[in-house]
Amino acid sequence: MTTAADGPEAGTVRMADYLAGELARAGVTHMFGVGGANIEDLYDAVHRGGTVRGVVAKHEFSAVTMADGYARTTRRLGVVAATSGGGAMNLVPGLAEAYVSRVPLLALVGQPPTAQEGQGAFQDTSGKGDSFDASEVFTPISRFCAWVEDADSLVDLLPRAMAAARTEPRGPAVLLLPKDVQQARIRPPGHGPAPTGAMPAGAAATGTVPTAAGPPESALSRSDTGIPAPTAPTGPTALPVPPTPTASGAPLDQAALAEVSDILRGADTVLVIAGEGVAAADARAELSRLARNLGAWVAVTPDAKDVFDNRDPRFAGVAGVMGHANVEHCLRRADVCLLVGTRLPLLARGGLERALAATAVVCLDSERPFVAGTALVGDVRDALRAVTGRIASGPRACPGHSGPVPSPVAGQDAPAVHGRIVRYPQAFAAVEAALPEDAHVFVDAGNTGASAVHLLPAPRHGRFVVALGMGGMGYTFGAGIGAALATGRRTYVLAGDGAFFMHGAEVHTAVEHRAPVTFVIFNNNAHAMCALREEFLQGGVRDDDVFGRTDIAAGVAAAFPSLDVTGAENAAQLRAALLRGNTGAGPAFVALDCDPREIPPFLPFQPFAEANGSAGRAGHEDHKENADERRVVHAG
């Protein structure tokens, strides 16, 4: 390795240029982030390379969610780059979402020059000189985390990081890049002695990384502490720890395959609950084929509404706390509940626990489920194909069912304050009428999210994404932009005013890049889900989550004169604005007023709404929850 001060050596390139070239060779088209002194060399290299497009966000959290939305809609590796200090720390919540939701990302994080480590450098996170160690922050929320302490080590560490991000369980990989290392020159493979494949001197990593042969190896951290292997849970319903999940094409456990297939062949009625893993494995066609052969109903988890056609006669609805009562009805009638691409976390199984306990459960996923059952662990698409091959061929009709009928709770509220209030059922009917079949939809948290999941069918040929890993407000603004820039498709961002005030400044990024994003802001001038919880569960003694009215449309229109902005006063105006936005090449923005007292279709609120009737308020102080309702409420 030579430094920049030594002058260029024949056959060498700047490490930052090598990194930018490798991203391009890996099929990366966009790098999202926020610049700064300790990452500027990489941005310079990306600009000079001309293949990867650098997109500068307003905040590092949104830069991560841009990479997240890019990855979820393209099934490619999402890349985010940020500088040291506060910029690096702002990545944490976005990477945590990607970690829990199994989204493959690569985070490239600048660090101060190595000679300044432990010497009081600005934004020093080397772990030296009483500074904290950035790797200790990122390791728990990444599949691989490495300090690139020598430029030559990147030749080995970069492919390992990329492989770790894309190997089950997928998630973020983090490379910590000191500024002087980015500037140093290296001899790329093919221009000198080839890398041996062993970790070079000066490199330090944590995580589980697949190797060319044999099981994954566990690398050592900077402090030589290893990561403990997973242990089996205890208790009478615990499942055995499965073998390490394998990539597509690796053999499935034949004994587990036979057991799962026998259970399904012996079932007269089957309810499938499909999750985000179906989308991640690109296995929608395989899911549909198995459901037809089983004569099964198909429900989806709240974060996977797009993995099965919502208009198919087999579609039972959404499972869990934002879901449809029909799913529970079908589950109680089923001999077997087949989980596909989901471990069935609490938000997806809330309200179904008793029915699940009385039903045989089978799971096809890369990880074992949170509920007791028989698991076939491995690639979801491989598992679906293998099971289908063992089931009698030919479609079977599914038994009759009521379908995803909206909950009567949806839209319950007190009388409107003024005529401009738009109810969620009417608003989402307008969105459905305007939504292109190939659009992507990103749904944010809170009352808006619960209502969208319950009321809005997913587009037939686009993603319908709800970030339930961490459930962070404002996720959609970056994610929608990343998806739109990656695919060129019209992308809808559906968010409340609380989410807008957190990360809605990314509208600026959409305007700058002319991203085809339609932002729809449901403004109830409150953190309304919090306000409802406070009133229903805490006696309504405080109102700090209810705010004065803000005219968001007027503010955005003043800030961005070139942006198509509409303040919709009714559902008809909302639909017209959305249709107009669909015809444009760039972003559009629509805001509408909603009532913070409108009760969303969210299971923890259902007993209060039923007790209160259409008024949605009277007598709630005397309502007492039973044990099951209290348990479900904690999901909110």
Side-chain angles (χ1 to χ4, degrees), residues 518-541:
T518 298
F519 300 96
V520 186
I521 310 303
F522 298 78
N523 181 16
N524 51 31
N525 297 290
H527 290 167
M529 184 167 282
C530 295
L532 288 173
R533 290 182 64 89
E534 289 156 11
E535 182 147 356
F536 289 155
L537 306 177
Q538 297 180 328
V541 295

Side-chain angles (χ1 to χ4, degrees), residues 556-622:
V556 170
F560 305 104
S562 66
L563 180 62
D564 180 3
V565 179
T566 301
E569 298 187 2
N570 53 54
Q573 291 182 10
L574 170 61
R575 180 176 179 272
L578 297 177
L579 289 172
R580 186 174 63 252
N582 291 346
T583 65
F589 189 97
V590 187
L592 59 148
D593 286 345
C594 301
D595 191 342
R597 300 167 298 177
E598 183 171 356
I599 302 173
F602 187 55
L603 188 60
F605 296 160
Q606 183 173 333
F608 300 97
E610 291 172 348
N612 298 341
S614 61
R617 276 297 185 271
H620 71 265
E621 296 87 350
D622 296 329

Side-chain angles (χ1 to χ4, degrees), residues 119-349:
Q119 303 299 314
F122 180 58
Q123 298 182 334
D124 183 8
T125 55
S126 66
K128 301 175 182 178
D130 290 329
S131 66
F132 71 88
D133 188 339
S135 68
E136 294 182 357
V137 175
F138 290 115
T139 293
I141 54 172
S142 64
R143 304 299 175 189
F144 181 88
C145 181
W147 283 90
V148 184
E149 296 176 349
D150 182 287
D152 292 321
S153 68
L154 184 74
V155 174
D156 175 76
L157 289 172
L158 180 60
R160 294 178 60 190
M162 290 181 171
R166 293 182 287 201
T167 300
E168 294 288 0
R170 301 178 181 94
V174 179
L175 292 177
L176 301 164
L177 305 168
K179 183 175 178 66
D180 58 318
V181 175
Q182 296 175 55
Q183 295 175 328
R185 303 188 71 82
I186 64 171
R187 189 176 301 278
H191 293 269
T196 63
M199 181 178 288
T206 62
T208 301
V209 187
T211 55
E217 71 178 76
S218 294
L220 296 179
S221 71
R222 213 174 197 198
S223 58
D224 294 333
T225 57
I227 296 178
T231 57
T234 59
T237 61
L239 294 172
V241 174
T244 301
T246 55
S248 180
L252 296 164
D253 183 286
Q254 293 302 302
L257 173 60
E259 184 177 7
V260 164
S261 302
D262 288 345
I263 292 172
L264 292 173
R265 272 198 304 267
D268 291 326
T269 53
V270 177
L271 171 66
V272 174
I273 302 180
E276 168 67 14
V278 174
D282 193 21
R284 292 176 179 84
E286 288 79 5
L287 169 67
S288 180
R289 188 175 303 113
L290 178 58
R292 289 196 306 269
N293 286 2
L294 291 171
W297 304 295
V298 180
V300 295
T301 58
D303 59 345
K305 202 167 182 183
D306 60 340
V307 302
F308 192 80
D309 186 352
N310 292 186
R311 297 162 184 83
D312 189 290
R314 300 179 186 278
F315 183 61
V318 179
V321 298
M322 292 169 267
H324 301 97
N326 182 56
V327 175
E328 181 182 3
H329 298 159
C330 290
L331 180 58
R332 292 189 181 280
R333 295 168 59 191
D335 299 319
V336 174
C337 178
L338 171 61
L339 309 180
V340 181
T342 179
R343 304 176 72 191
L344 210 64
L346 181 60
L347 289 182
R349 69 176 188 270

Side-chain angles (χ1 to χ4, degrees), residues 259-592:
E259 184 177 7
V260 164
S261 302
D262 288 345
I263 292 172
L264 292 173
R265 272 198 304 267
D268 291 326
T269 53
V270 177
L271 171 66
V272 174
I273 302 180
E276 168 67 14
V278 174
D282 193 21
R284 292 176 179 84
E286 288 79 5
L287 169 67
S288 180
R289 188 175 303 113
L290 178 58
R292 289 196 306 269
N293 286 2
L294 291 171
W297 304 295
V298 180
V300 295
T301 58
D303 59 345
K305 202 167 182 183
D306 60 340
V307 302
F308 192 80
D309 186 352
N310 292 186
R311 297 162 184 83
D312 189 290
R314 300 179 186 278
F315 183 61
V318 179
V321 298
M322 292 169 267
H324 301 97
N326 182 56
V327 175
E328 181 182 3
H329 298 159
C330 290
L331 180 58
R332 292 189 181 280
R333 295 168 59 191
D335 299 319
V336 174
C337 178
L338 171 61
L339 309 180
V340 181
T342 179
R343 304 176 72 191
L344 210 64
L346 181 60
L347 289 182
R349 69 176 188 270
L352 302 177
E353 290 95 336
R354 290 182 180 177
L356 284 166
T359 307
V361 175
V362 169
C363 181
L364 312 181
D365 192 42
S366 61
E367 300 176 83
R368 59 189 182 83
F370 291 117
V371 296
T374 303
L376 174 59
V377 176
D379 180 79
V380 171
R381 185 161 58 174
D382 289 349
L384 283 166
R385 288 174 173 174
V387 171
T388 302
R390 295 194 175 208
I391 302 296
S393 60
R396 293 168 47 194
C398 73
H401 63 116
S402 62
V405 177
S407 165
V409 172
Q412 285 195 17
D413 53 13
V417 176
H418 57 79
R420 293 182 56 185
I421 292 291
V422 183
R423 309 297 183 204
Y424 286 123
Q426 289 71 45
F428 284 108
V431 174
E432 180 183 359
L435 187 65
E437 288 197 345
D438 65 345
H440 300 305
V441 178
F442 285 80
V443 177
D444 221 293
N447 287 3
T448 296
S451 299
V453 168
H454 191 83
L455 297 169
L456 180 64
R460 290 183 187 273
H461 307 297
R463 293 300 326 265
F464 188 105
V465 177
V466 188
L468 295 180
M470 290 285 102
M473 292 173 63
Y475 160 89
T476 56
F477 292 91
I481 292 169
L485 291 176
T487 66
R489 296 192 197 179
R490 176 59 50 180
T491 300
Y492 277 39
V493 166
L494 309 178
D497 53 304
F500 171 80
F501 285 121
M502 288 191 179
H503 291 286
E506 296 301 335
V507 170
H508 179 276
T509 309
V511 171
E512 287 290 302
H513 291 270
R514 292 195 56 76
V517 182
T518 298
F519 300 96
V520 186
I521 310 303
F522 298 78
N523 181 16
N524 51 31
N525 297 290
H527 290 167
M529 184 167 282
C530 295
L532 288 173
R533 290 182 64 89
E534 289 156 11
E535 182 147 356
F536 289 155
L537 306 177
Q538 297 180 328
V541 295
R542 57 191 176 95
D543 60 0
D544 39 338
D545 278 308
V546 179
F547 317 124
R549 184 175 183 273
T550 302
D551 191 339
I552 293 176
V556 170
F560 305 104
S562 66
L563 180 62
D564 180 3
V565 179
T566 301
E569 298 187 2
N570 53 54
Q573 291 182 10
L574 170 61
R575 180 176 179 272
L578 297 177
L579 289 172
R580 186 174 63 252
N582 291 346
T583 65
F589 189 97
V590 187
L592 59 148

